[in-house]
Amino acid sequence: GDSVTQMEGPVTLSEEAFLTINCTYTATGYPSLFWYVQYPGEGLQLLLKATKADDKGSNKGFEATYRKETTSFHLEKGSVQVSDSAVYFCALSPRGGYQKVTFGIGTKLQVIP
Amino acid sequence: DSGVTQTPKHLITATGQRVTLRCSPRSGDLSVYWYQQSLDQGLQFLIQYYNGEERAKGNILERFSAQQFPDLHSELNLSSLELGDSALYFCASSPNTGGEETQYFGPGTRLLVL
């Protein structure tokens, strides 16, 4: 079945540091790929997504590129802020007439001033 | 604010009991999804409804059931509760059912089974 593997946290960075959270996936066909973010005490919200190979999703300074050849969708940000502290989930959804999203385990990011 | 509402926000109950969690999707969204988030299992997809009909099933126990009503709100029923059912339960919605669609999550219901 489909699966998503992402690095376990927590990840602790100083403000303005470079962030990479790795995500690789296993799926049949060409799934859509997502990064969701969960701030403390809230539900998940979409951060960015990509629906086909070589697409780059970007939002709020975060970026991720759909790499079919390496089945990866790594999340990056050039300069993190304290307000980026949250849990980040990589996810995939198969193409087709239904959506059964598979989430990674989540990576907790803590940014310290 | 995602536009998805869930009630109640917190629920404390005892083992063996039955509870109902309610979700109202964003206006116009036809699909509703239920997830369970626990510390040891992460975020697990339970079930999806689309326009009143069950569309996809995940790791949902037989003690759990759900339905989507004509006004598109959904309820998740958990029965014969066990300690291990303590978790955050999220509802999400999306406009239709395409794999590329964004899901909009509610704030969750925190269930504690004592």
Side-chain angles (χ1 to χ4, degrees):
Chain A
D2 296 345
S3 67
V4 174
T5 302
Q6 61 180 109
M7 55 195 295
E8 295 217 25
V11 173
T12 302
L13 294 174
S14 297
E15 210 166 17
E16 299 183 4
F18 185 86
L19 168 72
T20 299
I21 301 178
N22 291 335
C23 170
T24 57
Y25 67 90
T26 302
T28 54
Y30 303 93
S32 295
L33 301 175
F34 306 81
W35 278 100
Y36 282 85
V37 59
Q38 184 178 28
Y39 297 103
E42 299 183 11
L44 280 72
Q45 55 185 275
L46 180 73
L47 180 60
L48 54 85
K49 68 179 181 182
T51 59
K52 61 183 188 294
D54 300 325
D55 267 2
K56 178 186 281 188
S58 61
N59 186 25
K60 299 181 182 179
F62 290 89
E63 291 183 341
T65 302
Y66 190 142
R67 300 285 187 204
K68 182 174 175 297
E69 63 277 11
T70 55
T71 61
S72 65
F73 194 55
H74 304 322
L75 182 68
E76 295 182 337
K77 185 175 186 182
S79 175
V80 294
Q81 305 300 313
V82 172
S83 58
D84 294 327
S85 298
V87 181
Y88 293 81
F89 292 88
C90 184
L92 70 82
S93 179
R95 296 200 181 280
Y98 68 95
Q99 192 182 80
K100 184 179 168 183
V101 181
T102 300
F103 284 87
I105 198 165
T107 301
K108 184 174 182 178
L109 170 66
Q110 183 178 11
V111 180
I112 54 177
Chain B
D1 184 355
S2 66
V4 178
T5 59
Q6 289 187 248
T7 56
K9 194 165 186 175
H10 302 279
L11 200 48
I12 302 175
T13 188
T15 54
Q17 295 298 305
R18 173 190 168 94
V19 298
T20 298
L21 313 183
R22 183 188 168 103
C23 168
S24 291
R26 288 189 328 155
S27 176
D29 283 359
L30 298 178
S31 276
V32 169
Y33 313 80
W34 287 98
Y35 294 89
Q36 179 191 59
Q37 186 178 37
S38 60
L39 283 174
D40 56 342
Q41 295 284 326
L43 192 64
Q44 298 287 319
F45 168 74
L46 296 178
I47 197 164
Q48 177 201 359
Y49 277 82
Y50 173 71
N51 204 19
E53 295 189 1
E54 182 183 305
R55 197 65 189 254
K57 218 166 186 175
N59 302 319
I60 188 165
L61 300 172
E62 284 192 13
R63 300 183 285 109
F64 296 0
S65 65
Q67 55 183 328
Q68 187 180 28
F69 295 87
D71 67 352
L72 302 177
H73 90 272
S74 178
E75 293 182 354
L76 178 68
N77 300 295
L78 314 177
S79 61
S80 303
L81 284 167
E82 302 175 359
L83 296 177
D85 297 327
S86 296
L88 256 176
Y89 291 85
F90 286 108
C91 165
S93 72
S94 69
N96 289 293
T97 188
E100 73 285 357
E101 290 188 342
T102 298
Q103 292 190 9
Y104 297 87
F105 282 76
T109 292
R110 185 174 293 279
L111 173 66
L112 180 59
V113 182
L114 299 176

